Amino acid sequence: MLGRLVSARLASRDVTVLRFVIGLPAAFLVVLAQGAPVAVSAAQLGPLAALALIPGLLGLALYYVGLRATAASRATLAELAFPVTAALLGVTVLGASLSATQWVGLVVVVASVTALGLRERSERPVVATAATP
């Protein structure tokens, strides 16, 4: 949502650069604050940088270009679908398991996205206005 607001005033390239410039140091600070070890070896730095730059940067750049021409409601639906997709891939491909509350959350998100999508297609207005005499 913040990306949509910023992309109205800045070029897509600038928004993408800002996300990387702010996001990477912020993520590093979170790791330091949690006291978690940074478990990346020197041999993993090259492939990790390639992974961040090629699919990550390219995908993000395309996302912000598309966001300029996409209605906010549709962009929101797409954003909400991401965690559902990640959870389902984790369960089916990686063999992860979800707790009962995570399954409930997944169902709530899917139902909400579906309801919003159907509502967007409806010709009836969301808010009815009183007719003026």
Side-chain angles (χ1 to χ4, degrees), residues 45-59:
L45 285 177
L48 188 59
L51 185 63
L53 293 174
I54 297 168
L57 183 59
L58 179 64

Side-chain angles (χ1 to χ4, degrees), residues 19-121:
R19 190 159 179 172
F20 266 79
V21 168
I22 294 170
L24 187 59
F28 185 70
L29 290 175
V30 168
V31 169
L32 289 178
Q34 290 180 343
V38 179
V40 178
S41 68
Q44 294 170 325
L45 285 177
L48 188 59
L51 185 63
L53 293 174
I54 297 168
L57 183 59
L58 179 64
L60 199 57
L62 290 173
Y63 171 77
Y64 282 121
V65 168
L67 197 58
R68 280 190 182 269
T70 306
S73 59
R74 291 189 182 175
T76 301
L77 294 178
E79 286 286 337
L80 288 173
F82 173 72
V84 171
T85 305
L88 292 177
L89 283 174
V91 169
T92 58
V93 176
L94 301 176
S97 60
L98 300 179
S99 68
T101 55
Q102 289 171 320
W103 279 112
V104 169
L106 187 130
V107 169
V108 167
V109 170
V110 168
S112 300
V113 168
T114 303
L116 288 170
L118 292 173
R119 183 69 199 142
E120 186 178 286
R121 291 182 185 189

